[in-house]
Amino acid sequence: MISDPQTPPAPKGIWWTGAILTGLVTAFLLLNAVMKLLKPEPVVKAFNELGWVPGLATLLGIIQLCCLSLYLIPRTSVLGAVLWTGYLGGAIATHVRVGSPLFSHTLFPVYIAALIWGGLVLRRPAVLRLLFPKD
C-alpha cells in the first residue's frame, strides 16, 4: 500500500470526489467488459469496423476484468491504473489506425484514463508523490 508519512490523507470532500469518479469509471469499464463477454451485435459490428476479429472480444473482456480488479484493490490500485493506461493506449492506436473521429472516438480512451487516474489521485494523494517525487 502506498503510505507516506509526509503526505496526509485526502480531506473528506476530496476523497469523496475521487470515490465518485472511481465509481463512475468502474461502472463504465465493468459494463464495457461484460459487453465484450456477451458479444451482442453492436460489439461484433464495432470489432469488424475496427479490424479486430470478434472472437477476441472474450479475451479482451477478461483482460479488462483483471485490470479492473487490480484497480479496485487498494494495494494494487496503482498497478491496475498503469495496466489500464496501457490497454487504453492500444485503443487509441486502433482508432488512429482506422481514422476514427478525433474527439469522440480517438481521444475517448484519454478521457477514461483521466477519470481512472483522477479518481485514484483524489482518493490517495500519495500517488502524486510516487509519480512526481520531489528529489
Side-chain angles (χ1 to χ4, degrees):
M1 181 181 292
I2 297 173
S3 60
D4 184 352
Q6 296 176 349
T7 304
K12 292 276 188 218
I14 292 175
W15 186 91
W16 275 107
T17 302
I20 290 168
L21 284 178
T22 298
L24 290 173
V25 77
T26 296
F28 174 78
L29 294 171
L30 182 60
L31 176 64
N32 190 272
V34 169
M35 293 301 284
K36 283 184 176 61
L37 295 174
L38 297 176
K39 290 185 252 179
E41 182 58 34
V43 170
V44 173
K45 181 181 176 193
F47 266 66
N48 287 326
E49 290 173 358
L50 294 172
W52 285 88
V53 177
L56 291 174
T58 301
L59 176 61
L60 292 176
I62 291 169
I63 290 170
Q64 287 182 321
L65 289 175
C66 291
C67 292
L68 189 57
S69 297
L70 290 171
Y71 177 66
L72 294 175
I73 297 170
R75 291 180 88 77
T76 59
S77 59
V78 173
L79 174 61
V82 168
L83 292 173
W84 268 117
T85 303
Y87 182 92
L88 293 167
I92 292 168
T94 297
H95 283 290
V96 168
R97 183 180 55 80
V98 300
S100 295
L102 180 64
F103 292 104
S104 61
H105 291 69
T106 303
L107 291 179
F108 189 76
V110 174
Y111 310 147
I112 297 299
L115 291 174
I116 289 171
W117 283 101
L120 182 59
V121 166
L122 290 174
R123 287 181 294 116
R124 302 179 63 195
V127 171
L128 280 179
R129 290 186 52 90
L130 175 70
L131 298 173
F132 304 106
K134 294 181 181 180
D135 292 334

